[in-house]
Amino acid sequence: MNYDFKKFFLNNSLLFVFFFICLVGTFTSEYFFTLTNLQNMVRNMAVPGLLALGVSFVFLVSRIDLSVGSLTIFGPILAVSSLAFFGDIFDFKVLVRGNQYANSAAFIVIVSLITGLIVGLLNGIGVMYGKITSFIMTLAMMKALWGLNYVLTHGHAYYLQIPTYTWMGTLNLFYIPFSTWVYIILTIVAAWIMKFTIVGRRIYSIGGDEKTARLAGINVTFWVILAFMMSSFCAAVAGILFSSRLQTVDAPLAVGFELTAIAFAVVGGVSLTGGRGSPYRAFLGTIVMGALFSLFSMWGLNTWHRNIVVGIIIILVVMLDQRKNKLGRL
Amino acid sequence: MILDKFKNLSNNSNLLILFFILCAFAIFISPAFLDFNNIQNIIRTVMVLGIIAFGMTMVMIVGEIDLSVGSIAAFSCAFGGLFVESGSSFTVISLTLLAGLLCGFLNGLGVTLIKVPSLIMTLGTMAIIRNAGYIMTNGQASYPTKLETYMMTAKGFIGIVPVPVMIFIILSVICAVLTRYSTVGKSLYVVGSNPVASILSGISNNRAKIIAFTVCGLCCSIAGLIQSARLGQIDPHMGIGWELTVIAIAVLGGASLYGGKGSIEGTIIATLIIGVINNLLNLLGMSNHSQEVVIALIIIGMVLLHNFGKKDKSTK
Amino acid sequence: MDFLQMNNISKSFPGVKALDDVSFEIKSGEVHSLIGQNGAGKSTLMGILNGITKPDEGEILINDLVVKIDDPKDAFNLNLSIVHQEFALCNNLSVAENIFLGNEPFNKYGYIDKKKIKNDAMKMLNSINVNLDIDEIVGNLNTSQWQIIEICKALAKSPKFIVMDEPTASLDESQIDNLFEIIKSLKNNGIGIIYISHKLNEIIKISDRITVLKDGKIKKTFGKENITEGLLIETMVGENIENKNSNNLEDIKEPILKLNKLSHLNSFKNISFDLHKGEILGLSGLLGSGSNEILRSLFGIIELQTGEIILQDKLIDINNPRDAIENGIGYIPSDRKNEGLIQDNSIKDNSILTIFKKLTNLGFFNAIEARETTENYIEKLSIKISNINDFVMNLSGGNQQKVVIAKWLAKECKILLFDEPTRGIDVAAKAQIWSLILEYTKNGGAVIVASNEIPELIGNCHRIITLQRGKINRVFDNKNFDEKEISLNISSN
């Protein structure tokens, strides 16, 4: 019993860190422990949380995905701009700029999700069949999507004030924002998949030792591509929630999200070298970093400070991880 | 096989041929390409990235990568820019270069001493250094227009040669000599080709890596300096997204992501090629942002050609 | 009752006939051991059985039916499992998950039947009488437990035959006993086992039949009765080579390197010996005996826990290869390809790797002197090349090894450590390498050679130290070199 408690404490020490941050927040700011702030806090966790969940699949197969940031906003942009384009052709008012409104939320959602899956597929194919190092492949993808975002929007924001779409960003169910529900449900589904199904087993075995997995007859190519697709899918979902919250799609949005996602995942204990970590760990990282970000904004620190902290944390965590894995001196 | 021939694209003579083909194509598309102003324009725009690519080539030769180049350029200029009102050109320029040097050194220390993989280290410093620049300047640009020597770095002429071109040429000679004829350069290739064998031969891998990163940081600050002088403002937002284009130039010039390969000569030609491609796309009426897509495709294409037919490359 | 036969198998590699008309068979419930010296053809034979190597001639039959084994999957489909020498495990997964890696039972929705996995793993461990927590993460276990998991992985494919390649290399005594219990219960379950090992006492203990391979031919197959280690050695070695060693122990009086009680984790313990000026000292021992690790620790690649290294009456500290090199020690690694040479660099660049400092003038690299130095050594070592700017990867193994040696001669080292210097090198080149070593010692250098090529050691060394399980077993002087005696000292307890 005693031992179990110790194990539980070690495995979930981040939970205590989370409570500690909340405690600090409550004592240093009168606004921290208000319903509005807590709702904001968990709502703001949803998008980076989903991205962190996504990239952790890719980390588990010991690869990296830098394209999630650009992809987040690419799906909605592609959907909205194609609505605008077809609206022009067929002469029906779906244009979203100015005083005209698009009216097909389902279209945006579906196009975003499919786009996400396709981008993941391309990443995976480039890495596995093209043998392009994953960081170059996804860095190039990130830049390409970034460029496309500008091309498609012509550098101006589209306003997405469709009630059938924007409710996702504003609705609260049982005091908890809809985005957060989506995030939590996806995390639970992912945790179930990773723990109880063949998908999880394959992904963990590839991350543990790819050569061994190959020797055991596992189709490494397929599962790695799937991991990339899972990552991109999560990014697409995040993009829908993000754009519905902001009621806007614009190219400069979501720039640099990949870094936040990586930070959230590694803080939770998802290893960049593969095989170690889980959706639950990504979740722990998300709540800790989310609470920290909320605390920062309470203290009046801006994104600049936040990004510095993110950068430092990534380097520190990877350094500690490297120490733990130290094998030999060469 | 045609593809086999393409594989040798990294070969410098083939790169030159590619360069001339592109030029011919550009002239065919638009005679305006040959316009003196246009050529100057090409050179001025691409020179900045070319200078960083020298540093990146060295980092890649030693088998690492630097994603923080754009941030270093912005930060070092912003740091120098703090003194535009109070200091002379000399102070501002030397502080800029010093900042770049130190940032590169920091990357090198991180990669060697605390053994964080360069991808992660420079991804982290990319965020840290850039945001430190924002905080330092409060996100505001500063204007060095009063500093004559500073402005000379982009606008001046030595005879008929623009100063930035002169800087590019001088730097390329220095870097070429460094990689080709110095012992340090020799060790860059050795460490990048086989780090284990080089350690077992008594070569200091750490020293080679730190030197490569430091030179890269210095190159970034020089490039940032020219860019700031060209635009007449020192903008802490400068250089976002430069890393990919710079990596594209280095890879096109023959540098390998796996280390041990690459040359300054190749990088020079690759710089010109990227310049012509950019200009060609401009002439074709493509926006800057769609060019980003083309650059991404080029780098993927280059890596694919490079990998073609090599079976045992890792797929990480 | 199943039986597997390999009939009249022959296989040639460029320059060598690895297998010459070899026939081998194995029945259910039998342990058939395969022994032979390095290069006798054991691994080729097993490669053929596993589908990695294709035989030039001959056929494989299972229960009198000819089968084709073109890749490891075919072997698997024929209920043939291999337990490799290297561990292939996922350190992040549990014991049960590793055992069923790649064959997990799951339904059409991808849901894994964890209970079945656990139960089956439990049953399997019980059937071989092993007590192991099936939920433990493999990374937290020790090597002998890994070995058991490897065997279980093989069992999970419900094999009829299992090949075990040096399964005891990393195990200690009690663990070996444990393994033998497992092998016995496998036998009782009707599984045929092909057992490959260098350790003769084990072989005798466990085998029903023993086949001795020598130079690609079957020398003899023994039954269970009246087997002695001496007899096996006799068969393996054949004619005792004449001790033509002409080294004079009187020449080596001046000690240059003294090792005092060196220890490193599990690799070796309390190793003490002296090395003299002009001496060639052989270290011989099986995989896991610590001979290679001793060299690596002397060169600063692995860290010593305890012990003193005294070089010419001065206590020295070696923490990394640079320290060793500064003290005049050079290391020729067994993994020439990855550790010795930079494959895609030129011969010139490789042979001056160690003397960068010397070739530097005001930061510039003195290419002319580099060329002269290289040409000098190419001539001295008679390295056959067309151009010193060629890549070393295009050279033959022998010439590559010479380039590595040139690198250390250029550095003018006092002591050279050779790790398996003649591995993967043809016969003529082997002799050349040895004559280079001899010449080096004649000029006052000292050499330690870790090798299992006992005839070569006998022909060239002043002394040979045999090692077992990280301890010095016996020190032979060149007067009483005897191949059988030395072989026996290495491979039995």
Side-chain angles (χ1 to χ4, degrees):
Chain A
M1 203 55 211
N2 206 356
Y3 171 71
D4 275 348
F5 177 74
K6 198 177 157 196
K7 205 170 166 186
F8 175 82
F9 186 82
L10 283 177
N11 280 340
N12 299 283
S13 50
L14 283 174
L15 269 183
F16 299 97
V17 177
F18 169 70
F19 291 129
F20 178 71
I21 293 172
C22 290
L23 213 63
V24 172
T26 318
F27 281 111
T28 53
S29 159
E30 50 186 312
Y31 298 108
F32 189 88
F33 209 73
T34 58
L35 184 63
T36 328
N37 182 56
L38 290 180
Q39 276 181 342
N40 268 332
M41 184 171 98
V42 294
R43 188 186 289 115
N44 290 341
M45 283 175 191
V47 169
L50 277 168
L51 296 180
L53 174 66
V55 292
S56 53
F57 295 125
V58 179
F59 288 169
L60 281 175
V61 291
S62 62
R63 283 160 178 88
I64 195 166
D65 190 350
L66 298 173
S67 68
V68 289
S70 300
L71 176 60
T72 303
I73 203 70
F74 177 68
I77 283 183
L78 183 67
V80 171
S81 55
S82 52
L83 270 180
F85 180 72
F86 291 124
D88 269 356
I89 290 176
F90 300 112
D91 200 29
F92 57 80
K93 300 286 182 194
V94 286
L95 195 60
V96 223
R97 265 197 231 282
N99 54 1
Q100 290 159 307
Y101 298 99
N103 215 0
S104 181
F107 182 80
I108 301 178
V109 170
I110 290 168
V111 168
S112 296
L113 295 182
I114 292 176
T115 311
L117 290 175
I118 291 174
V119 169
L121 184 69
L122 289 178
N123 278 337
I125 287 176
V127 171
M128 295 314 289
Y129 288 105
K131 299 190 193 307
I132 302 170
T133 321
S134 63
F135 93 85
I136 283 291
M137 182 65 211
T138 55
L139 183 68
M141 182 61 85
M142 157 183 156
K143 293 294 171 187
L145 295 181
W146 184 75
L148 282 176
N149 284 342
Y150 277 96
V151 173
L152 290 174
T153 56
H154 307 288
H156 303 293
Y158 279 107
Y159 299 104
L160 256 183
Q161 280 133 356
I162 326 164
T164 48
Y165 187 71
T166 52
W167 64 268
M168 290 186 283
T170 49
L171 183 79
N172 290 334
L173 281 173
F174 309 110
Y175 298 109
I176 293 178
F178 177 77
S179 322
T180 313
W181 280 116
V182 173
Y183 168 55
I184 291 173
I185 289 166
L186 269 179
T187 300
I188 292 171
V189 170
W192 185 82
I193 288 178
M194 294 306 282
K195 207 168 169 68
F196 295 109
T197 72
I198 194 74
V199 180
R201 190 54 40 80
R202 294 294 188 248
I203 284 179
Y204 278 116
S205 65
I206 291 169
D209 191 330
E210 196 164 320
K211 208 173 141 204
T212 298
R214 220 178 270 277
L215 283 177
I218 289 169
N219 185 348
V220 174
T221 306
F222 172 81
W223 295 106
V224 171
I225 292 177
L226 187 77
F228 274 105
M229 288 176 74
M230 282 155 86
S231 168
S232 300
F233 180 79
C234 288
V237 175
I240 295 166
L241 299 176
F242 187 60
S243 56
S244 64
R245 170 76 183 148
L246 295 182
Q247 312 194 347
T248 313
V249 287
D250 191 8
L253 294 174
V255 166
F257 272 27
E258 61 283 341
L259 203 67
T260 320
I262 293 170
F264 279 33
V266 295
V267 164
V270 181
S271 166
L272 281 164
T273 47
R276 280 184 296 123
S278 64
Y280 176 62
R281 307 236 47 114
F283 171 77
L284 287 181
T286 302
I287 59 170
V288 166
M289 293 299 286
L292 198 64
F293 281 8
S294 173
L295 189 65
F296 282 178
S297 55
M298 286 292 120
W299 288 350
L301 297 175
N302 56 20
T303 24
W304 300 339
H305 298 98
R306 220 172 66 182
N307 287 342
I308 290 187
V309 172
V310 166
I312 292 174
I313 283 179
I314 288 184
I315 295 175
L316 279 183
V317 172
V318 173
M319 180 184 96
L320 293 176
D321 199 45
Q322 214 78 349
R323 285 274 153 86
K324 225 176 357 185
N325 287 346
K326 200 177 158 197
L327 297 167
R329 281 195 288 162
L330 278 184
Chain B
M1 277 276 291
I2 295 173
L3 271 167
D4 279 350
K5 282 184 187 159
F6 265 114
K7 257 195 309 184
N8 295 329
L9 206 63
S10 46
N11 201 324
N12 289 341
S13 56
N14 286 357
L15 272 182
L16 264 183
I17 294 170
L18 180 68
F19 172 65
F20 287 122
I21 292 173
L22 279 170
C23 285
F25 186 63
I27 295 167
F28 176 73
I29 296 261
S30 158
F33 178 79
L34 273 185
D35 191 72
F36 182 68
N37 281 333
N38 187 47
I39 290 178
Q40 259 204 357
N41 206 8
I42 296 179
I43 294 177
R44 277 169 192 266
T45 26
V46 82
M47 216 104 290
V48 173
L49 294 178
I51 288 171
I52 302 180
F54 293 151
M56 184 67 87
T57 306
M58 288 190 212
V59 171
M60 287 176 77
I61 288 173
V62 80
E64 304 286 346
I65 193 88
D66 189 349
L67 299 180
S68 66
V69 286
S71 299
I72 295 181
F75 174 82
S76 53
C77 289
F79 183 69
L82 293 179
F83 303 91
V84 278
E85 300 299 330
S86 54
S88 63
S89 276
F90 176 75
T91 343
V92 176
I93 292 177
S94 45
L95 284 174
T96 304
L97 300 187
L98 186 70
L101 200 80
L102 284 178
C103 289
F105 186 65
L106 184 82
N107 277 336
L109 282 187
V111 170
T112 53
L113 290 193
I114 62 176
K115 296 200 180 352
V116 177
S118 58
L119 170 65
I120 298 299
M121 182 68 203
T122 57
L123 197 65
T125 50
M126 178 165 101
I128 297 170
I129 293 173
R130 174 164 301 281
N131 287 286
Y134 289 157
I135 293 171
M136 199 169 64
T137 58
N138 214 4
Q140 303 295 315
S142 52
Y143 301 90
T145 32
K146 279 186 220 148
L147 302 171
E148 263 177 40
T149 320
Y150 194 100
M151 296 304 287
M152 278 281 281
T153 55
K155 310 246 158 150
F157 281 88
I158 297 177
I160 55 156
V161 188
V163 174
V165 176
M166 208 62 209
I167 295 176
F168 181 81
I169 293 171
I170 293 171
L171 268 181
S172 65
V173 171
I174 293 175
C175 290
V177 169
L178 187 68
T179 50
R180 214 160 240 269
Y181 300 110
S182 79
T183 306
V184 170
K186 201 99 191 151
S187 63
L188 294 184
Y189 283 99
V190 168
V191 172
S193 306
N194 187 339
V196 178
S198 74
I199 285 192
L200 294 188
S201 302
I203 292 165
S204 167
N205 289 12
N206 289 355
R207 204 180 67 168
K209 285 179 183 174
I210 290 177
I211 289 175
F213 275 107
T214 310
V215 172
C216 185
L218 186 63
C219 287
C220 294
S221 58
I222 296 172
L225 197 72
I226 296 173
Q227 178 79 344
S228 304
R230 193 161 77 94
L231 302 177
Q233 64 163 357
I234 300 173
D235 185 0
H237 296 84
M238 174 173 64
I240 292 177
W242 279 1
E243 66 282 351
L244 189 78
T245 318
V246 170
I247 293 172
I249 293 176
V251 171
L252 189 62
S256 157
L257 292 168
Y258 305 102
K261 294 209 170 63
S263 69
I264 298 298
E265 301 89 288
T267 304
I268 296 171
I269 306 172
T271 307
L272 296 175
I273 291 177
I274 293 284
V276 172
I277 291 177
N278 270 337
N279 194 254
L280 198 60
L281 296 175
N282 277 335
L283 292 176
L284 289 171
M286 276 176 92
S287 67
N288 283 333
H289 295 300
S290 46
Q291 293 181 17
E292 201 71 36
V293 183
V294 176
I295 298 285
L297 290 178
I298 288 176
I299 192 167
I300 288 186
M302 282 312 298
V303 179
L304 276 178
L305 280 179
H306 194 263
N307 287 349
F308 188 78
K310 283 187 189 161
K311 273 188 184 153
D312 52 347
K313 278 293 168 230
S314 95
T315 54
K316 291 256 155 138
Chain C
M1 188 70 150
D2 298 296
F3 54 95
L4 181 148
Q5 286 167 296
M6 299 174 85
N7 285 344
N8 311 94
I9 304 275
S10 293
K11 174 77 191 176
S12 296
F13 293 112
V16 236
K17 187 132 199 181
L19 290 175
D20 186 5
D21 197 24
V22 169
S23 299
F24 184 83
E25 59 162 16
I26 171 90
K27 304 193 289 261
S28 294
E30 165 188 65
V31 177
H32 192 162
S33 294
L34 195 58
I35 59 173
Q37 288 177 306
N38 289 335
K42 290 171 305 198
S43 36
T44 315
L45 194 65
M46 288 311 113
I48 288 170
L49 207 52
N50 193 19
I52 296 168
T53 320
K54 272 185 199 146
D56 299 336
E57 281 168 52
E59 53 184 11
I60 304 171
L61 294 92
I62 292 181
N63 297 342
D64 289 333
L65 290 172
V66 178
V67 293
K68 270 210 149 333
I69 305 180
D70 289 332
D71 64 73
K73 221 165 195 159
D74 290 344
F76 166 64
N77 291 335
L78 292 166
N79 299 329
L80 236 167
S81 285
I82 310 240
V83 179
H84 289 281
Q85 207 171 319
E86 301 94 37
F87 298 113
L89 297 168
C90 291
N91 282 337
N92 58 336
L93 299 182
S94 74
V95 173
E97 287 165 346
N98 260 292
I99 292 176
F100 290 99
L101 190 71
N103 323 302
E104 299 92 341
F106 58 93
N107 69 13
K108 62 178 172 181
Y109 305 112
Y111 186 77
I112 292 183
D113 194 343
K114 281 202 164 182
K115 229 176 211 161
K116 188 167 167 6
I117 291 184
K118 279 188 187 179
N119 281 339
D120 287 0
M122 198 71 115
K123 257 187 233 158
M124 190 178 293
L125 288 170
N126 283 338
S127 77
I128 54 174
N129 297 318
V130 174
N131 206 349
L132 201 61
D133 180 4
I134 51 169
D135 290 324
E136 186 61 73
I137 299 298
V138 164
N140 301 336
L141 300 174
N142 64 31
T143 43
S144 82
Q145 288 162 319
W146 288 348
Q147 189 69 60
I148 291 167
I149 299 167
E150 281 290 347
I151 292 170
C152 290
K153 267 176 76 178
L155 286 178
K157 295 161 187 164
S158 47
K160 289 177 186 151
F161 304 101
I162 298 182
V163 180
M164 293 189 186
D165 190 2
E166 297 267 6
T168 57
S170 47
L171 306 187
D172 71 30
E173 216 117 331
S174 66
Q175 293 168 335
I176 291 174
D177 287 341
N178 220 334
L179 180 74
F180 284 179
E181 287 303 314
I182 295 172
I183 291 179
K184 271 180 202 152
S185 54
L186 292 179
K187 248 173 78 173
N188 294 338
N189 293 344
I191 292 171
I193 294 164
I194 302 176
Y195 189 92
I196 303 172
S197 177
H198 279 105
K199 298 182 182 169
L200 300 176
N201 57 333
E202 292 175 7
I203 295 266
I204 291 173
K205 213 161 157 188
I206 197 79
S207 312
D208 298 309
R209 272 195 286 179
I210 302 170
T211 292
V212 183
L213 267 177
K214 183 173 167 58
D215 303 330
K217 292 191 190 105
I218 298 253
K219 195 82 182 173
K220 197 167 178 186
T221 299
F222 296 94
K224 210 173 173 173
E225 292 78 27
N226 304 329
I227 288 287
T228 60
E229 292 176 15
L231 188 59
L232 289 178
I233 290 273
E234 185 86 45
T235 324
M236 259 162 66
V237 173
E239 289 288 299
N240 217 348
I241 53 160
E242 204 181 327
N243 188 354
K244 282 189 198 158
N245 194 312
S246 58
N247 295 332
N248 191 352
L249 281 179
E250 299 297 312
D251 296 344
I252 53 160
K253 282 244 166 90
E254 187 186 338
I256 183 165
L257 186 74
K258 285 184 178 196
L259 307 185
N260 196 3
K261 297 197 168 162
L262 302 189
S263 298
H264 169 73
L265 295 177
N266 316 327
S267 315
F268 52 84
K269 275 199 187 73
N270 288 334
I271 299 291
S272 309
F273 60 80
D274 292 357
L275 180 70
H276 306 86
K277 231 179 193 168
E279 180 179 17
I280 304 177
L281 176 66
L283 290 185
S284 197
L286 300 177
L287 192 77
S289 66
S291 56
N292 317 67
E293 286 81 1
I294 291 172
L295 295 194
R296 286 174 93 81
S297 71
L298 283 181
F299 196 63
I301 303 171
I302 54 179
E303 209 164 356
L304 285 170
Q305 256 74 44
T306 56
E308 296 172 324
I309 301 172
I310 298 158
L311 181 76
Q312 288 173 322
D313 301 326
K314 233 172 57 199
L315 188 68
I316 57 167
D317 219 11
I318 296 179
N319 293 316
N320 52 46
R322 276 163 77 84
D323 291 348
I325 293 166
E326 266 157 32
N327 281 306
I329 300 175
Y331 174 65
I332 290 93
S334 56
D335 185 356
R336 218 172 17 245
K337 198 176 155 209
N338 295 313
E339 296 185 345
L341 294 168
I342 299 173
Q343 291 287 320
D344 51 1
N345 273 14
S346 67
I347 295 157
K348 186 179 80 189
D349 289 347
N350 270 291
S351 46
I352 44 106
L353 269 183
T354 50
I355 49 168
F356 271 15
K357 229 180 225 164
K358 199 176 135 200
L359 293 175
T360 307
N361 268 339
L362 299 169
F364 284 96
F365 186 76
N366 190 338
I368 300 166
E369 205 185 323
R371 168 175 276 274
E372 280 166 1
T373 313
T374 312
E375 278 169 350
N376 179 16
Y377 282 106
I378 285 172
E379 201 189 305
K380 255 189 197 162
L381 308 187
S382 58
I383 304 176
K384 283 191 202 72
I385 54 159
S386 51
N387 186 338
I388 63 167
N389 290 319
D390 282 350
F391 285 170
V392 287
M393 60 181 161
N394 300 329
L395 296 178
S396 69
N399 282 324
Q400 285 193 0
Q401 189 69 301
K402 285 183 189 169
V403 174
V404 183
I405 295 174
K407 168 171 101 173
W408 293 112
L409 293 183
K411 183 70 185 169
E412 291 164 347
C413 288
K414 288 176 284 193
I415 299 171
L416 287 185
L417 314 171
F418 285 84
D419 199 349
E420 304 282 356
T422 55
R423 181 183 282 176
I425 291 176
D426 65 60
V427 183
K430 277 183 186 175
Q432 288 175 359
I433 299 285
W434 277 109
S435 69
L436 281 176
I437 296 176
L438 277 176
E439 202 190 311
Y440 171 73
T441 51
K442 290 241 165 70
N443 296 332
V447 167
I448 306 180
V449 182
S451 172
N452 281 327
E453 304 290 341
I454 294 156
E456 289 181 17
L457 293 182
I458 288 178
N460 299 288
C461 290
H462 290 84
R463 290 182 300 155
I464 297 176
I465 295 178
T466 57
L467 292 149
Q468 269 193 8
R469 302 191 182 289
K471 287 187 189 125
I472 292 182
N473 204 17
R474 193 172 151 186
V475 183
F476 291 84
D477 286 343
N478 67 343
K479 278 169 225 142
N480 43 22
F481 279 173
D482 178 289
E483 192 181 358
K484 285 167 193 164
E485 191 67 26
I486 293 174
S487 299
L488 209 59
N489 254 291
I490 290 168
S491 43
S492 74
N493 285 6

